Structure formats: structure tokens, C-alpha cells
Amino acid sequence: MKKSFKHFSWLLLLLIPLLIVSGCGKSSSSSKTVKVGIMGSDEKIWKPIQKRLKKQGVNIKLVTFTDYNQPNAALTNHEIDINSFQHTYFMQQWNKAHKTNIVSIGKTMRAPLRLYSKKVKSVADIKKGSQITIPNDSTNEGRALHLLQSAGLIKVNNKLALPTPKNITQNKLNLKITPVDAAQTPRSLSDAAGAVINNEFAAEAKLPNSETIYKEKLNKASIPYINIIATNKADKNNKTYKKIVKAYQSEQTKKLIKKYYNGLSVPAW
């Protein structure tokens, strides 16, 4: 009996460290920090989500970027775990160009592209030879040109999904269509007659609705431009990431979008 007890005691002493290590492993795994890449203007939407999820045991670290070329590269390199900045069409074109496997795991908002001006009050007031700036990344450049066509300012080759300024087929006002970095479009308003500006940069620059002289229509054609939360394909079924998507797609977030974007964006889920 004494021998059996001693044998059991030795086994227990051997098992205790293993149990402690095992317990620690589970704790660190459940408290893993998820790095979420966003544009700076979206912090006011994501910080309340970050706060709510922390109470549920999900730690989020927000990683802010200043231009569209950074978040997907960081995602592919595993510098971040998910990102929230792009629309579906941008993601698809990025995957083609960079041979990546980034996928959508949830919709966020619809953000109509807008033509802003500090010099004129309407599209009809734009004069001959005026300069119009547009984002220079291939997806939003083509989208901006379609917007200018819809506004009646130019015509482009409609056979092309992503036209460039070289594909303008009619320009009666001889407008100078100038592609610039998307982040610089708000600044260009001091010189140009108008600028096509993405929502997040318009919000960051605090451009008032009164300076919008034309905006993209929300219809079937704009569905590919719904903004999304994305991750690498291998992680698309990650339960923690799904929990983050669910937290985003909430009534609280709807109220924040309405409060901070003042109609510039609308929930898409």
C-alpha cells in the first residue's frame, strides 16, 4: 500500500508541471490579439467595437494605414490578421495583380464616390479647360471616370470595366483629368475645379456635404463597390474573425456610421 502511494505521489509530481503548462497554453491562445488594418478615418467606428469585444475576451489591435497600397500587402505578409478598407472590386483586382488569395468575410458599408468642388456649385458650372483630379489606383480611377461620365462631363469606352484617362472618347469641355494618390484628392481641391474623392478621405478632411456636386448612385452597378472586412483565404473560417464581423454588423455600428459619416456612407449588411 505504501509503495502504491509513493508511486502515485511521484506520478502526481510529474503531472503537475504538465497541467500548468497546458493551462497556460490555453489561456494565451484564447487571448490572442487580432491585428485589424484600417484607414485612419475609420478609427471612430472601430474603437467602440474594440472596447465591446475586449469584454468578450477578444483583443483587437488597430493598425492604421494612410494609403490603399499598404493594407493588403500587410495582410498577405501576416503583419495584420484582417483588414477593413476596401470594396469587393478593389480586392478582386488586387488578387489578380498580386496573385494573392484575399477573401471577404463580411460586408461593412456602401460609400458612394463623390465629386467635390470648392470653386463651383454644380456640374453645370464647370468651365472649359478646368482640372478634375481622380484617384490614381486602377480600380478607383476607372470608377471615377465612370462617375464623371454619369455626370455628363465625359464619355469613356464602355467596353472597359476599368478605363483610364487614355480611354476617354469624348471630352467636350477639354477637361484636364489628373490622376493623383487617393489620399491627396482632398488637398487638390485648392487648385482643381473638382476632385473625385473616396469616402474615408472626404471624412478625414471633414469635407461638408455642401461641397458635393455629384455622387455615385446606389444601384446594382454599385454592388461591387460595397466595402468589406477581408482576410487571407486560409483564415476565412476563423471563429474569432467571425465574431469581429458580427460585432461590426450591429445596431451600435449603424448608429456610429450615421453619426460620423453624416450620410456619406450607409450600412451594407
Side-chain angles (χ1 to χ4, degrees):
M1 186 72 179
K2 288 181 179 179
K3 287 183 179 179
S4 297
F5 180 76
K6 285 182 180 179
H7 182 66
F8 176 76
S9 299
W10 278 107
L11 282 173
L12 190 61
L13 287 170
L14 289 169
L15 284 171
I16 286 172
L18 291 173
L19 290 169
I20 292 171
V21 171
S22 176
C24 290
K26 286 180 181 177
S27 174
S28 64
S29 175
S30 63
S31 62
K32 179 193 171 185
T33 297
V34 179
K35 294 181 181 178
V36 182
I38 61 171
M39 302 305 289
S41 60
D42 285 337
E43 278 190 341
K44 49 189 171 285
I45 303 295
W46 276 95
K47 281 188 174 180
I49 296 170
Q50 181 185 42
K51 191 175 181 180
R52 291 203 312 270
L53 283 173
K54 192 170 185 179
K55 294 177 182 177
Q56 300 175 34
V58 178
N59 297 318
I60 287 180
K61 179 180 180 182
L62 298 176
V63 182
T64 57
F65 295 95
T66 56
D67 71 63
Y68 293 147
N69 292 314
Q70 299 173 339
N72 278 340
L75 183 60
T76 305
N77 293 331
H78 301 285
E79 295 166 9
I80 58 175
D81 301 299
I82 62 178
N83 65 37
S84 177
F85 82 101
Q86 65 194 321
H87 49 66
T88 305
Y89 201 48
F90 185 98
M91 178 190 71
Q92 291 169 346
Q93 295 304 311
W94 181 276
N95 281 335
K96 285 181 183 178
H98 298 86
K99 294 180 173 57
T100 50
N101 285 300
I102 296 171
V103 297
S104 169
I105 56 173
K107 298 174 182 177
T108 57
M109 61 180 86
R110 298 179 79 167
L113 205 57
R114 294 167 184 257
L115 175 61
Y116 288 86
S117 179
K118 291 181 179 291
K119 300 183 183 301
V120 299
K121 296 295 182 183
S122 71
V123 171
D125 296 330
I126 295 176
K127 298 177 181 179
K128 286 186 176 181
S130 295
Q131 183 184 38
I132 305 291
T133 57
I134 61 175
N136 67 358
D137 61 278
S138 61
T139 304
N140 286 306
E141 181 180 74
R143 185 183 177 191
L145 291 172
H146 281 301
L147 177 74
L148 296 179
Q149 177 174 251
S150 177
L153 291 170
I154 60 171
K155 287 186 178 180
V156 297
N157 184 345
N158 285 322
K159 292 180 181 179
L160 300 172
L162 294 174
T164 69
K166 292 180 181 179
N167 305 124
I168 295 173
T169 57
Q170 189 179 102
N171 186 357
K172 289 183 178 180
L173 292 177
N174 195 29
L175 299 173
K176 298 172 184 175
I177 310 296
T178 309
V180 299
D181 187 281
Q184 301 303 316
T185 49
R187 292 184 184 179
S188 70
L189 283 172
S190 59
D191 299 314
V196 179
I197 304 175
N198 292 87
N199 170 65
E200 55 266 35
F201 295 122
E204 200 171 274
K206 297 181 180 178
L207 295 176
N209 280 337
S210 59
E211 292 179 5
T212 299
I213 59 174
Y214 192 82
K215 73 174 182 177
E216 194 174 52
K217 294 178 174 62
L218 293 178
N219 51 31
K220 286 184 179 180
S222 65
I223 288 175
Y225 302 118
I226 290 176
N227 288 349
I228 56 173
I229 296 173
T231 191
N232 292 303
K233 189 176 181 179
D235 300 320
K236 67 177 182 178
N237 294 318
N238 185 291
K239 291 181 180 179
T240 303
Y241 301 172
K242 287 183 177 182
K243 190 179 285 189
I244 293 172
V245 171
K246 186 178 179 180
Y248 189 104
Q249 296 175 343
S250 63
E251 286 301 315
Q252 295 99 315
T253 305
K254 280 185 180 181
K255 290 176 183 177
L256 290 173
I257 290 172
K258 184 178 181 180
K259 177 182 178 180
Y260 290 116
Y261 288 115
N262 195 28
L264 291 177
S265 296
V266 294
W269 64 90

